[in-house]
Amino acid sequence: MTKMEIHNLGKAPAPFGNKIRIMLIFLLQLILSCNSQKTNDGILSKEILYGEWALVDGEHQVNYPNIEFFADSSAILYSQADTIYRFTFFIRNDSLYLTDINGKKYVSRIRKLSSTTVIFDGIADVKKKQTYEKQ
């Protein structure tokens, strides 16, 4: 082989090289996006939310002194006025996303989530910090 042929071989594109590289990058992004989200306090996983939660020091609050999350991605927020609010939910990044039966959406930042405590920067239409303990 001549020097020119050897030089041109080094510059020749590898068949499928870019496509494989793009597919690997896409696969890596997909895997990373499926993992639970992390915060300073730990991992945010909707499975940790499953169950009944009671508002700490919430005896004077009419809306949402108790909430319940289910494995089918539904949630019930109770009020002291015997009203039940039904939602679907999911967690993305550091926030809880609720959608009511009319399609209205609420986003509540999660400050902390553990197996015993969840702290929201408000939930649904409540605008102040809410701390719940698992029942």
Side-chain angles (χ1 to χ4, degrees):
M1 272 202 233
T2 67
K3 284 186 177 182
M4 183 61 121
E5 290 172 330
I6 293 172
H7 179 72
N8 287 340
L9 272 178
K11 291 185 174 184
F16 306 110
N18 285 338
K19 289 181 183 178
I20 291 173
R21 199 171 302 137
I22 290 171
M23 287 175 59
L24 286 174
I25 290 170
F26 174 76
L27 182 61
L28 181 62
Q29 286 178 334
L30 181 65
I31 291 169
L32 291 175
S33 70
C34 291
N35 289 340
S36 299
Q37 304 298 319
K38 293 184 180 180
T39 66
N40 294 339
D41 296 320
I43 296 175
L44 295 182
S45 168
K46 75 179 207 173
E47 288 80 13
I48 296 174
L49 281 177
Y50 297 162
E52 297 177 37
W53 298 82
L55 185 64
V56 176
D57 297 326
E59 61 273 352
H60 300 295
Q61 182 172 321
V62 174
N63 281 337
Y64 323 132
N66 299 90
I67 56 179
E68 195 169 0
F69 294 95
F70 300 95
D72 67 354
S73 298
S74 65
I76 297 177
L77 282 66
Y78 299 91
S79 78
Q80 290 184 0
D82 293 329
T83 304
I84 295 174
Y85 301 92
R86 296 184 188 276
F87 298 88
T88 58
F89 78 95
F90 66 92
I91 291 178
R92 181 178 295 148
N93 298 326
D94 65 347
S95 298
L96 172 71
Y97 290 75
L98 296 169
T99 305
D100 70 14
I101 59 173
N102 297 317
K104 186 172 181 181
K105 298 178 188 316
Y106 301 91
V107 180
S108 305
R109 183 175 164 265
I110 301 171
R111 288 186 180 192
K112 177 182 178 182
L113 176 58
S114 72
S115 60
T116 59
T117 305
V118 62
I119 301 173
F120 299 105
D121 279 344
I123 187 167
D125 55 358
V126 176
K127 302 297 182 205
K128 64 181 183 172
K129 179 177 139 183
Q130 304 287 98
T131 301
Y132 289 88
E133 290 183 348
K134 193 141 200 185
Q135 300 299 295

